Amino acid sequence: MTSKLIILQDKIRMAEKAAGRTPRSVALIAVSKVQPCSAIRPVLQAGHRLFGENRLQETAEKWPSLREEFPDIILHLIGPLQTKKTRQAVRLFDVIETLDREKLARQLARIFAEEGLRRDCYIQINVGREPQKAGILPEEAEAFIALCRDELKLPIVGLMCIPPAAEDPAPYFSLLKDMAYKAGLEKLSMGMSGDFEKAIAEGATSVRVGTALFGERVKTG
Ligand SMILES: *Cc1c(COP(=O)(O)O)cnc(C)c1O
């Protein structure tokens, strides 16, 4: 397990170098969905602190106890968020990567005010315009970013995407980078086990990697 972490970190450093990126400018989000605490703990013991989960229930079962052992964990929500679960998400996660609609943006603003706290947010962009996928359509992004930042005063730090599975992801990563640049946003969450090196070449500031670190996930229906 620890050796997989080292190999993955080496690959990220090599991809940074190949792309002429600043050393250590790309963060690894270890995607631990479906993995039990017994698989996550060795990664924590190796010193890694940045993780991604996609389900609230599972996160509530696993992470409070891990946080007691390792208080400096940083947890990103990378899965869909139901509006009615916003308060729970804000309590469980440090960063919300899947802000994908106006109703959720308004609810986040309200919960931040009520709870007296803020969480950095990424706006999820549906770069491939896929009907089954969440995210703001590229042509609607500018107006949505303006709503979130200027009207609702949400701490928007960057953009996130999941490109279409069966295509070369590079043009989609490039599109996300252009959109972030135009909006003056610095962070780009893009790239998974199969394509994180391409994402780094296109400007990713964080990659979300599960399988290459923990092995194949056992499907749970
Ligand atoms: C599961 C997941 C990942 C990790 O995918 P792997 O192919 O296992 O690296 C990344 N991003 C999101 C949004 C995911 O749901």
Side-chain angles (χ1 to χ4, degrees):
M1 165 47 57
T2 316
S3 66
K4 277 192 180 161
L5 177 64
I6 290 167
I7 290 166
L8 182 55
Q9 282 167 336
D10 278 353
K11 284 186 177 166
I12 292 170
R13 301 286 90 88
M14 284 191 287
E16 283 171 346
K17 201 171 176 193
R21 306 276 312 272
T22 306
R24 304 192 168 273
S25 57
V26 180
L28 167 63
I29 299 174
V31 176
S32 48
K33 62 188 185 195
V34 184
Q35 306 300 336
C37 291
S38 58
I40 298 170
R41 206 170 275 111
V43 179
L44 284 160
Q45 282 161 346
H48 195 78
R49 291 294 181 271
L50 182 57
F51 291 83
E53 289 276 353
N54 68 338
R55 300 180 73 155
L56 269 65
Q57 183 60 39
E58 184 185 337
T59 302
E61 285 164 15
K62 283 156 45 177
W63 286 91
S65 61
L66 292 169
R67 280 195 198 268
E68 278 181 28
E69 286 176 67
F70 303 93
D72 51 346
I73 283 165
I74 300 172
L75 203 51
H76 285 219
L77 174 62
I78 61 166
L81 176 54
Q82 290 174 265
T83 310
K84 65 180 180 189
K85 300 273 177 70
T86 306
R87 191 182 305 276
Q88 192 192 3
V90 162
R91 288 176 178 165
L92 282 170
F93 290 92
D94 303 289
V95 176
I96 309 291
E97 290 206 11
T98 48
L99 172 50
D100 62 357
R101 59 195 190 279
E102 180 172 344
K103 199 175 173 199
L104 180 58
R106 293 190 181 280
Q107 186 69 358
L108 278 166
R110 182 200 317 205
I111 302 286
F112 289 164
E114 286 177 11
E115 301 269 321
L117 52 75
R118 285 152 75 79
R119 298 285 182 250
D120 282 352
C121 297
Y122 288 73
I123 293 171
Q124 182 174 358
I125 306 292
N126 187 353
V127 282
R129 313 173 52 82
E130 295 171 279
Q132 79 281 13
K133 253 187 204 153
I136 300 291
L137 293 175
E139 65 271 24
E140 289 166 6
E142 197 180 328
F144 186 73
I145 293 167
L147 167 79
C148 291
R149 272 201 308 211
D150 306 337
E151 189 186 325
L152 300 174
K153 312 288 184 210
L154 292 173
I156 305 297
V157 296
L159 303 180
M160 176 271 209
C161 78
I162 309 168
E167 291 175 50
D168 177 9
Y172 296 105
F173 292 150
S174 174
L175 170 66
L176 198 73
K177 183 188 183 170
D178 288 346
M179 293 173 65
Y181 181 80
K182 277 190 199 128
L185 294 169
E186 281 178 11
K187 298 200 175 181
L188 285 169
S189 174
M190 58 190 197
M192 321 202 314
S193 290
D195 56 17
F196 67 87
E197 284 144 322
K198 277 188 179 168
I200 291 169
E202 298 294 338
T205 58
S206 60
V207 292
R208 309 178 307 267
V209 180
T211 310
L213 179 59
F214 293 103
E216 289 293 331
R217 285 180 289 276
V218 180
K219 294 242 160 51
T220 54

